[in-house]
Amino acid sequence: GAGVSQTPSNKVTEKGKYVELRCDPISGHTALYWYRQSLGQGPEFLIYFQGTGAADDSGLPNDRFFAVRPEGSVSTLKIQRTERGDSAVYLCASSLRGFSGRVMSNEQFFGPGTRLTVL
Amino acid sequence: GIQVEQSPPDLILQEGANSTLRCNFSDSVNNLQWFHQNPWGQLINLFYIPSGTKQNGRLSATTVATERYSLLYISSSQTTDSGVYFCAVDTSGSRLTFGEGTQLTVNP
């Protein structure tokens, strides 16, 4: 595929349930990002992977949120014991992060998002 | 952390009009991107512009990194230009910090 894909496009769940959201980055992109967007706001950073490892998870709101990228490509965002406040659009992005001359080039491309609704 | 402010928050235009959207940021940046979020929520890359000027059709952008601002110009606006325009910056070659966006409505 040409772009970042995310599944499912919509997820409705009940408070307290566990959910998994999947992201397929652009082929060959080494960096992968998760963001969360609430209504009327800009996306907010959650976690960033370089390869298989989480290079920065400082945006995860609490320990109910966890993400993996075991083979350095597909990533899964996992949310335990969902709460109504977790309802948002979860966006994934990928980039060919690397140096262009002396500057770190990191243009990010976004998927269509997963709209999560917690009832 | 870095602060990103966009103005105006809302803009209503008649088809054919021109507009300028502004993005101010509070610290030095490694990268800056402009996005258009369409009514279906998809973020579409417009420009990757940490400095200088770029043009793509009716759209152009200028970033003056030393003065910590970027401008997005839309000329001869069309109804399909409607949506939210976001500016996003990164300071270290990793996470993007987004502004609150400019909601653009272009009326026929």
Side-chain angles (χ1 to χ4, degrees), chain A residues 4 33 35 37 40-45 48 56-59 91 97 103-113 115, chain B residues 30-31 33 35 37 39-48 50 84 86 90 92-101:
Chain A
V4 179
Y33 303 80
Y35 295 82
Q37 186 175 22
Q41 298 182 10
E44 294 181 327
F45 170 79
Y48 149 55
D56 181 359
D57 65 357
S58 62
L91 295 165
R97 186 175 180 272
V103 176
M104 172 59 72
S105 175
N106 189 35
E107 183 176 8
Q108 296 184 29
F109 296 86
F110 282 77
R115 182 174 299 277
Chain B
N30 189 63
N31 294 313
Q33 292 185 242
F35 297 92
Q37 190 164 45
W40 297 271
Q42 175 73 55
L43 280 167
I44 298 165
N45 289 40
L46 297 178
F47 294 101
Y48 175 74
V84 182
F86 286 106
D90 101 62
S92 59
S94 58
R95 67 165 75 183
L96 287 173
T97 300
F98 283 76
E100 292 290 300

Side-chain angles (χ1 to χ4, degrees), chain A residues 18-19 34 47 49 57 60 62-68 76-80:
Chain A
Y18 167 82
V19 297
W34 285 98
I47 185 170
F49 289 89
D57 65 357
L60 295 177
N62 51 60
D63 61 6
R64 294 186 297 105
F65 289 74
F66 189 71
V68 295
T76 304
L77 178 66
K78 308 180 181 199
I79 311 174
Q80 298 177 327

